[in-house]
Amino acid sequence: MATKFSKLFFVILFFSTTHSTEENPNHTFSRILSPAKQGLKKEKLSHLHFFFHDIVSGKNATAVGVAQAAMTKTSASLFGLVTMVDDPLTAEPSLSSKIVGRAQGIYASASQSDISLLMVLNFAFVEGKYNGSSLSVLGRNSVLSGVREMPIVGGSGLFRFARGYAQAKTREFDMKTGNAIVEYNVYVFHY
């Protein structure tokens, strides 16, 4: 039986690979492209500075818990809590200052021993030359550290092929409401 199966498998494999190459003999999985032909010019380094307003309470909350493990209620680190955000990014620390973008995505408490978040965010910009462009953050945010560093793993619009890092520093945290203002300095290479 094993011999019949082996022969059948070989015949199917042979005909399927022969058939696919006959359909499109020039098909390739990848190819090398010229950055210049793709419209990419000289790479530059930009510094962006803004304030992230995480509003978790009140009628205008911009961060909402969407999942919670049973043990989250008894965990000092809030392990298992997942929060969806659409937080305003402003030019100055005041929420009434000019909005330059939105932080949209999720953060989740990913540590059992300290308050460390997995951040999966897009900084979607709505102001100036970066209007319509975004940067993607994916990394660890150890909230109680003075300054936290998270990687910029990509972007869109003027930030295509972006890479860099974001430094976050908590400016204000209200123990009663849980609301926070976080200062961000983002350093990003892009074209």
Side-chain angles (χ1 to χ4, degrees):
M1 171 116 175
T3 308
K4 286 183 181 180
F5 179 76
S6 299
K7 288 179 182 179
L8 179 62
F9 179 75
F10 177 75
V11 169
I12 291 171
L13 181 63
F14 175 78
F15 283 116
S16 66
T17 56
T18 304
H19 185 305
S20 64
T21 56
E22 288 174 5
E23 282 180 12
N24 187 358
N26 296 324
H27 183 273
T28 59
F29 174 70
S30 67
R31 60 188 172 132
I32 296 173
L33 299 174
S34 162
K37 287 184 180 179
Q38 298 302 310
L40 300 175
K41 298 180 180 165
K42 185 178 179 188
E43 190 175 42
K44 55 190 156 261
L45 174 64
S46 294
H47 171 230
L48 292 88
H49 180 249
F50 50 83
F51 297 86
F52 172 104
H53 297 266
D54 198 41
I55 305 166
V56 299
S57 64
K59 65 179 183 172
N60 296 321
T62 60
V64 179
V66 295
Q68 179 175 322
M71 68 182 281
T72 301
K73 294 177 184 176
T74 60
S75 170
S77 69
L78 301 174
F79 179 66
L81 180 64
V82 179
T83 304
M84 182 66 66
V85 300
D86 184 13
D87 289 343
L89 304 175
T90 60
E92 300 296 329
S94 170
L95 184 56
S96 62
S97 71
K98 179 188 263 186
I99 292 182
V100 297
R102 310 285 303 182
Q104 298 172 326
I106 63 170
Y107 58 77
S109 183
S111 174
Q112 294 183 50
S113 59
D114 63 356
I115 301 175
S116 290
L117 306 174
L118 165 65
M119 306 289 284
V120 182
L121 296 175
N122 286 311
F123 293 141
F125 298 102
V126 297
E127 184 60 37
K129 71 179 182 178
Y130 300 124
N131 183 18
S133 297
S134 67
L135 288 171
S136 298
V137 176
L138 174 63
R140 183 175 191 264
N141 182 350
S142 184
V143 175
L144 298 180
S145 296
V147 177
R148 290 88 70 193
E149 185 173 301
M150 293 162 280
I152 300 294
V153 297
S156 67
L158 292 178
F159 292 120
R160 280 188 200 125
F161 296 106
R163 67 188 193 290
Y165 66 97
Q167 289 183 325
K169 179 179 180 183
T170 303
R171 290 285 298 255
E172 291 181 27
F173 178 72
D174 187 322
M175 293 291 282
K176 289 182 184 177
T177 64
N179 296 342
I181 300 171
V182 180
E183 181 176 8
Y184 271 84
N185 280 288
V186 177
Y187 301 88
V188 61
F189 283 105
H190 62 100
Y191 290 94

